[in-house]
Amino acid sequence: MSEHHLHGQIVQLAGRRDGGGKLLQKALDRRHDLEIRQFDKARTTDAVRALWKEYLARGEIPGAYWAAITHPATDWALVQEIFGEVHMLSHLVGQSNRADIRRLCQLEVDLAARDEIAAAQELRIREVMEQRDALQAQNRAIAAARALTVAANVAVEPETDRDNRKSLETRLAREQAHAEALDEKLAILLQASTRMSRELEAETTRRQIAEAELAAVEAMLADGRDGEVGDASLAADPVSLDGRTLLYVGGRPRQITNLRRFARDRGGRLLNHDGGIEDSLSLLPGLVGQSDLVLFPVECVSHEAVNMVKRCCETTGKTFRPVRTASLASFVHAVLPMKSSVSVGQNV
């Protein structure tokens, strides 16, 4: 049975009042019992809406969603409002994934162009080296002919001998100057080729990282859960956090809610520090002490915050991991190695 077919069967089951529909209702009530008890304190529609907004701001969506739409004080207008907000959240993951795909496609185009330039440089270098070898062989032949002419001491007119020797010397000097010019040109081409090789290697590394990040997001989306995992499937999730606590330092404020929801839905907890913009750096040692893994996006965090994170992790024996960008894809890729043993201060 495909994921889509299974989804349809469960939807039909949820619409029935008997049998599996009641069991599904009870299962969801048990799972979100904590949120239901919190929402029971609300007596009016406005109180339910205010409590829902509070949970939404913290990124704690699934339990609050179920408690709000099943609350006796929730009217149809509030149900539509809540459903609309959750529906729009589902687009954020897809938007981030599409941006990563576009970036990967551009990287592949750039890498192909650099491959062509590198191949052309290598071909030109081989041609120049062949020309240089040919000129060196020609110079050796001219030098040998000159030596033979002097040694043979053939019986020719002195004037003719001087003219021939002068002609040979002029030709030899010209060929030597040409060879030196080719050597200089070859050195310049070799330097350019070395630089292109380094840039190509760096570009290949960036593409591999982008492909790994995209693969991590695609693996997450292939589960068909769109950011929610159940108790039974949590253990099989390749990104299951198993109750671990993550600390995310820096990043973009509008992305923190998605990261916190991602961690929570996979059995973990995400703490956040903005890297010193509004939060004091003095809070970092305490947050590091509460965390199992510290992450920070290298493109969106201050040097002071990074240096303090590294010092705190070395002091407390915690693991820190730089993240390439502040996107959800880079975050998922950085969290994937959580199940394996990671040494202190490992950089990925």
Side-chain angles (χ1 to χ4, degrees):
M1 184 179 296
S2 66
E3 295 286 342
H4 182 265
H5 189 190
L6 179 61
H7 173 74
Q9 294 293 327
I10 294 176
V11 170
Q12 292 181 4
L13 182 67
R16 297 171 54 186
R17 293 180 176 274
D18 57 344
K22 291 183 178 181
L23 293 177
L24 182 59
Q25 177 84 19
K26 292 179 180 180
L28 289 172
D29 286 343
R30 285 195 303 270
R31 178 179 179 183
H32 303 301
D33 179 66
L34 178 61
E35 289 83 356
I36 291 174
R37 281 187 277 128
Q38 291 295 326
F39 273 78
D40 283 343
K41 300 176 182 179
R43 302 300 181 186
T44 65
T45 302
D46 291 337
V48 174
R49 178 182 285 104
L51 196 56
W52 159 252
K53 293 294 185 181
E54 179 182 343
Y55 274 80
L56 179 64
R58 296 201 304 263
E60 300 174 359
I61 308 299
Y65 178 78
W66 178 252
I69 65 174
T70 58
H71 195 281
T74 300
D75 56 14
W76 178 243
L78 181 55
V79 168
Q80 290 181 313
E81 178 183 341
I82 293 174
F83 179 79
E85 290 174 335
V86 173
H87 175 75
M88 292 309 297
L89 282 176
S90 66
H91 288 289
L92 295 177
V93 173
Q95 181 182 7
S96 176
N97 189 30
R98 288 192 298 272
D100 290 330
I101 292 175
R102 287 195 298 271
R103 185 168 66 253
L104 177 60
C105 292
Q106 185 60 44
L107 286 174
E108 291 176 346
V109 172
D110 295 342
L111 183 60
R114 290 179 182 273
D115 288 340
E116 293 179 359
I117 295 174
Q121 290 282 4
E122 291 178 358
L123 179 60
R124 181 58 181 160
I125 288 173
R126 286 197 297 269
E127 292 175 353
V128 172
M129 292 179 67
E130 291 174 357
Q131 294 178 12
R132 183 196 62 180
D133 294 341
L135 284 173
Q136 289 177 348
Q138 190 174 8
N139 288 339
R140 287 193 296 270
I142 292 174
R146 178 185 177 187
L148 289 175
T149 301
V150 174
N153 194 16
V154 293
V156 294
E157 292 294 332
E159 187 71 23
T160 303
D161 186 48
R162 285 194 298 270
D163 291 342
N164 289 338
R165 185 169 61 254
K166 185 177 181 180
S167 175
L168 288 174
E169 290 175 347
T170 302
R171 184 180 177 186
L172 178 60
R174 184 172 62 251
E175 296 297 342
Q176 287 176 341
H178 190 193
E180 292 175 356
L182 284 177
D183 286 338
E184 293 178 359
K185 189 174 183 180
L186 178 61
I188 294 173
L189 288 175
L190 286 174
Q191 292 177 356
S193 177
T194 301
R195 184 177 65 256
M196 289 293 298
S197 297
R198 289 196 298 266
E199 293 176 356
L200 180 61
E201 182 178 357
E203 197 70 29
T204 301
T205 302
R206 285 194 293 271
R207 186 182 71 171
Q208 291 173 347
I209 294 175
E211 289 175 346
E213 292 175 354
L214 181 59
V217 173
E218 289 177 346
M220 179 189 72
L221 296 180
D223 294 337
R225 290 186 288 272
D226 290 336
E228 295 188 24
V229 292
D231 296 336
S233 62
L234 183 59
D237 194 324
V239 202
S240 176
L241 299 180
D242 298 329
R244 292 180 174 89
T245 298
L246 310 180
L247 172 59
Y248 194 77
V249 181
R252 298 182 176 87
R254 65 176 179 272
Q255 190 74 344
I256 298 302
T257 298
N258 297 331
L259 303 184
R260 183 178 288 112
R261 177 164 58 91
F262 173 86
R264 181 182 180 276
D265 290 343
R266 279 154 182 80
R269 184 167 67 111
L270 181 69
L271 306 176
N272 170 244
H273 189 286
D274 64 8
I277 298 176
E278 295 182 0
D279 299 337
S280 173
L281 291 178
S282 62
L283 300 176
L284 273 176
L287 293 173
V288 170
Q290 302 176 46
S291 308
D292 299 298
L293 174 65
V294 182
L295 306 105
F296 52 86
V298 295
E299 66 168 9
C300 193
V301 67
S302 66
H303 292 292
E304 293 81 2
V306 170
N307 291 334
M308 180 168 286
V309 164
K310 292 181 179 179
R311 289 197 301 269
C312 293
C313 289
E314 291 173 356
T315 301
T316 59
K318 302 291 185 177
T319 299
F320 69 87
R321 184 173 294 126
V323 181
R324 188 174 64 91
T325 67
S327 66
L328 177 61
S330 295
F331 179 81
V332 174
H333 179 245
V335 171
L336 276 177
M338 279 288 292
K339 285 194 173 185
S340 60
S341 176
V342 183
S343 61
V344 176
Q346 179 181 0
N347 293 342
V348 178

